[in-house]
Amino acid sequence: MRLFTLFLVLPITLIAQTTERGEASHLKGINYLYMNVDTSLAPRITSAERLDISDIVELQLRRADINLRPYVMNAPQTNVPLVEVSIKVAQSRSVDNYELTLKVFDYVTIDRNKQRTIATIYEMQRESVPTPDDLSSLKSKLRELMSDFVTAFEKQNP
């Protein structure tokens, strides 16, 4: 019976672990972040709703005492390290739902060319309940995503 339970639980555990890429250790030593929220692939989200979503992200980061710097729209190279939350409408099995992705971008040096390059160093994903017209489920998943990110960030930067 225990072996049977193990075979049921193991795939669920593996699926849960695949939603986060990158190691939390890559967040170590980051003293400040720039923040951006991208809803360009979610056309149903209005500008007022986008502001609410952006406020949720900013509030979660500020409550964790993460130093946020103002995002400069026309100078992407200066907005590093950057935490970006993107929201898009994904269609799966003929049902639309929101897919939330949090990425942290920072400068890294690649061994091949020894040049500093902006790259994704950390990524987390969540999928909301398949009701794209109801933003309460999206906001709930967003708060959960930000809480998980803040926890990982704080562990690396006490």
Side-chain angles (χ1 to χ4, degrees):
M1 187 66 165
R2 285 184 176 171
L3 189 58
F4 179 72
T5 305
L6 179 64
F7 285 121
L8 287 177
V9 173
L10 186 59
I12 293 170
T13 305
L14 292 174
I15 289 169
Q17 290 177 350
T18 59
T19 60
E20 293 185 25
R21 291 189 325 194
E23 296 179 28
S25 63
H26 294 314
L27 299 173
K28 190 172 185 124
I30 295 178
N31 300 321
Y32 60 88
L33 288 169
Y34 293 89
M35 180 196 90
N36 186 36
V37 175
D38 178 18
T39 59
S40 61
L41 296 176
R44 294 180 185 149
I45 295 177
T46 65
S47 59
E49 293 165 342
R50 184 188 185 285
L51 284 174
D52 285 347
I53 290 167
S54 184
D55 286 346
I56 290 169
V57 173
E58 182 176 354
L59 182 63
Q60 293 285 335
L61 294 172
R62 291 203 186 275
R63 280 185 179 164
D65 289 329
I66 296 173
N67 184 9
L68 287 179
R69 294 194 176 173
Y71 184 80
V72 182
M73 288 297 276
N74 297 329
Q77 297 290 331
T78 61
N79 297 318
V80 177
L82 171 69
V83 60
E84 180 177 84
V85 176
S86 61
I87 301 170
K88 71 176 187 176
V89 175
Q91 189 175 31
S92 60
R93 294 186 220 129
S94 73
V95 177
D96 289 345
N97 55 3
Y98 288 114
E99 185 177 289
L100 292 83
T101 305
L102 180 143
K103 292 182 180 181
V104 177
F105 299 95
D106 201 359
Y107 282 108
V108 297
T109 304
I110 299 173
D111 290 338
R112 290 186 303 267
N113 60 11
K114 306 288 187 212
Q115 294 179 352
R116 289 175 22 130
T117 307
I118 297 175
T120 303
I121 61 166
Y122 187 77
E123 182 175 340
M124 299 173 81
Q125 291 184 331
R126 297 289 185 275
E127 195 168 299
S128 73
V129 179
T131 54
D133 295 329
D134 178 23
L135 282 180
S136 62
S137 64
L138 170 69
K139 290 178 181 179
S140 174
K141 283 293 181 181
L142 179 61
R143 285 184 186 96
E144 176 187 307
L145 174 74
M146 293 308 301
S147 177
D148 291 348
F149 171 71
V150 164
T151 301
F153 189 88
E154 287 177 333
K155 282 182 183 176
Q156 295 302 315
N157 300 292

